[in-house]
Amino acid sequence: MANIVGQEEWGQRPRQAEQHRQPIRSRASGGQRVFPSIIVSATDDQLIVRCEVPGMHLDNFDIRMAGDSLMIEGSRLTGEGLEGGWYHRRERESGGFSRAVRLPAEVDGDRADASYVAGILTVTLPLKKAAKPRQVPVKVVEA
Amino acid sequence: MAVDQEMKVTDKRAVDTDIHQELRSGNWYVPATDIYETPERVILVMDMPGVCFDCAQVNIVDDELVVTGHVTHGEDQDDYVLYREYDVGHYHRHFGLPPVIDRTKIDAMMAEGVLTITMPKVEEVKPKRIQVRAEA
């Protein structure tokens, strides 16, 4: 039998020192969150929701707007096509997911767009006019 | 699609930079990996979201398989981040290579952020049928 897991794997041992080097998360804490983890960002005219869901196809996602929330649903089944063998290690998550993301601004759901590249799902949501930043004219009055 | 199991978020595991001093700059993570063995081969399947096929490297160094992936997708520096649940980073992991692997026939394929490395075993250890003959 191939003893591939019996050997020392570098970078595996949990160490106390490692704790201090963990990247700072703004709100995430370890443990149970709804899959997938997301990053919400913005430009002047759109919101962007990103998540890492490798090994899918865009067709496998069900993405839609429900009120002021973006729904991202789908399923990823690992291990398909593998047979006649056995696992030494199974770390990749397998199953279904359903995540609702409450958006911080009003968006035009009809013009939303989704892309999937290298396992990253990116949903772009154009902001409605009222939500876009705009210049406020300021009148300067000489005293 | 009927799926019984609901996925949970697994936080990314940082590479131990006490051991990998060369990875001190930037975020480096240990990619989640499935290791599957059949009588003929060993298959590694690794999640490396954000890595394109030409940014993944697989090297054999001494008795180890060393996998490195540089993230090129996943974050746009021009965006203003409002909310963040994960950090984007590169991937690095070492695997001990057992002698049963035929090192000349290892194949690596990247698709949708998943790296699949297929490692056939040497002929000597593959299952063989031994013909039973009648007594002369």
Side-chain angles (χ1 to χ4, degrees), chain B residues 52-84:
Chain B
C52 296
F53 81 96
D54 51 353
C55 295
Q57 289 164 18
V58 180
N59 291 304
I60 298 170
V61 182
D62 299 328
D63 279 331
E64 288 190 321
L65 190 76
V66 181
V67 179
T68 306
H70 283 89
V71 162
T72 51
H73 288 76
E75 203 153 32
D76 189 338
Q77 301 300 330
D78 297 334
D79 297 356
Y80 177 71
V81 174
L82 303 169
Y83 178 75
R84 174 189 293 280

Side-chain angles (χ1 to χ4, degrees), chain B residues 116-128:
Chain B
T116 303
I117 303 173
T118 306
M119 306 187 289
K121 294 182 185 174
V122 291
E123 291 302 324
E124 294 80 64
V125 301
K126 286 185 184 173
K128 273 190 283 286

Side-chain angles (χ1 to χ4, degrees), chain A residues 23-24 26 34 37 45 66 127:
Chain A
I24 295 160
S26 61
V34 179
S37 295
D45 50 13
L127 289 169

Side-chain angles (χ1 to χ4, degrees), chain A residues 113-135:
Chain A
D113 192 33
S115 67
Y116 184 68
V117 178
I120 313 272
L121 177 70
T122 306
V123 184
T124 53
L125 304 140
L127 289 169
K128 279 198 175 163
K129 265 215 172 93
K132 285 186 196 173
R134 58 180 191 273
Q135 204 86 38

Side-chain angles (χ1 to χ4, degrees), chain A residues 18-127:
Chain A
E18 201 178 277
Q19 307 259 324
H20 303 293
R21 236 176 263 119
Q22 292 281 351
I24 295 160
R25 292 159 194 285
S26 61
R27 288 189 215 182
S29 58
Q32 306 280 295
R33 290 197 308 278
V34 179
F35 185 93
S37 295
I38 55 165
I39 294 177
V40 182
S41 59
T43 64
D44 281 349
D45 50 13
Q46 61 188 12
L47 284 180
I48 301 134
V49 178
R50 288 192 175 83
C51 48
E52 297 182 335
V53 195
M56 303 265 297
H57 294 282
L58 196 51
D59 299 346
N60 303 141
F61 290 101
D62 178 7
I63 303 163
R64 63 185 188 277
M65 289 297 299
D68 59 354
S69 293
L70 172 71
M71 301 291 300
I72 301 173
E73 295 183 341
S75 63
R76 175 178 98 147
L77 300 175
T78 63
E80 283 187 315
L82 296 180
E83 52 187 34
W86 55 94
Y87 277 101
H88 288 277
R89 199 177 266 273
R90 198 160 191 187
E91 298 172 350
R92 300 170 64 237
E93 286 277 328
S94 183
F97 55 90
S98 172
R99 169 122 203 206
V101 183
R102 169 85 52 93
L103 298 173
E106 260 196 284
V107 297
D108 185 351
D110 294 338
R111 292 194 297 128
D113 192 33
S115 67
Y116 184 68
V117 178
I120 313 272
L121 177 70
T122 306
V123 184
T124 53
L125 304 140
L127 289 169

